[in-house]
């Protein structure tokens, strides 16, 4: 098996992800208030030139872990609550708990919009749930001319139950948005945007039960794999998407973005 082979995450990968979500070693605390905590980790040692990993943890009162898990999976519902989504769809399934999907999202000007193709895998672990993904290439879905193809080196969610109506959501991401933005701008904006996105997810959970009752209430293929209508695709059709193999697209008028970021962070 070559180093380029796509691997479907196994139990060890899920355990390692859960362990990293709970570890504080090597992480720097950057934000901690009103039920939200954010840590960052510098990869490669250079603060200015390397992309940070980011970890956000949020306490979600009045949200059962099962509902959070459903909301993170349900593509139809995402189209309703996620104001940034342009297009999202599943490409095909690999196993009962792994698939490949496409997601594109709006970025603030002067940035170009982004898209990503990921292999996503999920696993309930006791009363906890884990969803993890990383970027892959598929020949039928090459980068688009009007988008910047971003790269998820590893991204995921850990949902931990604390009783029938309370859970903790941890988001852990190592993402390269590509384009020509300096890494420090990417790092700064992700620390601002990730907690904002998590709050939106939590709010969406509160309205999910009512929405789902009106939209195919029994259809949850992430829980009942026999319900899936996705075609099975062989892993051999996929390859690892490396960030350095993608074109660096120029995104000029950066000063406008910097000014906005600085204003938003005040």
């Amino acid at each position: 098996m070559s180093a380029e082979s796509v691997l479907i995450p196994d139990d060890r990968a899920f355990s390692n992800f859960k362990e990293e979500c709970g570890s504080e070693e090597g992480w720097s605390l950057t934000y901690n208030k009103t039920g939200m905590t954010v840590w960052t980790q510098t990869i490669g040692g250079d603060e200015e030139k390397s992309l940070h990993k980011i970890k956000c943890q949020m306490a979600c009162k009045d949200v059962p872990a099962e509902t959070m898990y459903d909301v993170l999976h349900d593509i139809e519902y995402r189209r309703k609550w996620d104001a940034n989504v342009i297009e999202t769809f599943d490409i095909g399934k690999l196993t009962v708990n792994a698939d490949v999907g496409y997601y594109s999202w709006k970025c603030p000007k002067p940035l170009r919009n982004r898209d990503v193709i990921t292999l996503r895998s999920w696993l309930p672990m006791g009363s906890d749930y884990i969803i993890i993904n990383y970027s892959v290439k598929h020949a039928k879905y090459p980068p688009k001319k009007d988008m910047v193809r971003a790269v998820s080196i590893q991204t995921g969610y850990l949902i931990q139950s604390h009783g029938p109506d309370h859970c903790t959501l941890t988001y852990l991401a190592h993402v390269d948005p590509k384009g020509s933005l300096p890494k420090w701008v990417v790092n700064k904006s992700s620390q601002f945007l990730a907690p904002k996105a998590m709050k939106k997810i939590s709010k969406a959970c509160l309205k999910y039960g009512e929405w789902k009752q009106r939209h195919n209430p029994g259809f949850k293929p992430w829980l009942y794999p026999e319900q899936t209508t996705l075609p099975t695709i062989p892993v051999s059709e996929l390859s690892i998407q490396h960030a350095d193999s993608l074109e660096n697209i120029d995104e000029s008028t950066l000063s406008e973005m910097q000014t906005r970021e600085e204003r938003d962070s005040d």
Side-chain angles (χ1 to χ4, degrees), residues 28-241:
S28 302
L29 182 67
T30 60
Y31 182 91
N32 185 13
K33 71 179 182 190
T34 58
M36 178 79 70
T37 313
V38 181
W39 299 265
T40 59
Q41 187 179 94
T42 305
I43 307 295
D46 190 322
E47 191 76 24
E48 290 288 317
K49 295 180 181 174
S50 65
L51 283 165
H52 292 171
K53 276 186 179 181
I54 185 165
K55 180 164 61 174
C56 303
Q57 194 171 82
M58 178 175 61
C60 304
K61 290 172 182 171
D62 304 320
V63 178
E66 297 81 6
T67 301
M68 179 66 75
Y69 188 58
D70 287 348
V71 167
L72 289 171
H73 270 290
D74 198 322
I75 274 189
E76 293 303 320
Y77 189 53
R78 180 173 280 274
R79 292 187 184 118
K80 176 175 172 55
W81 66 263
D82 186 350
N84 292 320
V85 68
I86 297 170
E87 188 179 15
T88 181
F89 56 86
D90 296 323
I91 294 168
K93 68 173 182 177
L94 299 166
T95 66
V96 292
N97 69 323
D99 62 18
V100 177
Y102 174 87
Y103 177 73
S104 58
W105 67 97
K106 299 169 194 165
C107 292
K109 292 183 177 179
L111 304 185
R112 285 204 203 179
N113 295 331
R114 259 58 178 176
D115 70 356
V116 68
I117 290 175
T118 58
L119 185 159
R120 188 180 60 151
S121 191
W122 56 92
L123 188 70
M125 294 180 76
S127 60
D128 302 337
Y129 300 89
I130 297 175
I131 304 170
I132 53 180
N133 75 57
Y134 67 91
S135 280
V136 291
K137 285 193 276 193
H138 191 292
K140 290 181 182 174
Y141 301 93
K144 297 180 178 182
K145 285 181 181 175
D146 59 338
M147 296 263 181
V148 175
R149 178 64 49 93
V151 177
S152 166
I153 299 159
Q154 187 189 44
T155 303
Y157 295 97
L158 168 65
I159 307 159
Q160 294 171 293
S161 178
H162 304 294
D165 296 307
H166 183 200
C167 71
T168 300
L169 177 65
T170 304
Y171 168 73
L172 176 63
H174 190 197
V175 176
D176 188 341
K178 295 303 292 179
S180 58
L181 287 174
K183 299 293 187 273
W184 69 267
V185 174
V186 173
N187 294 333
K188 191 174 177 184
S189 62
S190 66
Q191 286 179 53
F192 168 72
L193 294 172
K196 210 173 173 184
M198 287 180 71
K199 287 174 185 172
K200 281 185 185 173
I201 294 168
S202 186
K203 276 187 182 174
C205 288
L206 300 175
K207 297 177 181 175
Y208 181 66
E210 183 192 341
W211 180 90
K212 189 62 175 168
Q213 280 302 313
R214 293 180 281 110
H215 297 83
N216 212 346
F219 185 69
K220 296 183 178 183
W222 52 92
L223 296 179
Y224 314 112
E226 67 277 6
Q227 293 180 341
T228 188
T229 56
L230 290 176
T232 300
I233 55 176
V235 180
S236 57
E237 286 188 7
L238 307 171
S239 58
I240 303 285
Q241 176 67 76

Side-chain angles (χ1 to χ4, degrees), residues 238-257:
L238 307 171
S239 58
I240 303 285
Q241 176 67 76
H242 291 293
D244 56 12
S245 70
L246 290 165
E247 179 189 358
N248 272 327
I249 292 165
D250 180 44
E251 294 172 292
S252 51
T253 61
L254 177 60
S255 57
E256 183 188 333
M257 167 79 176

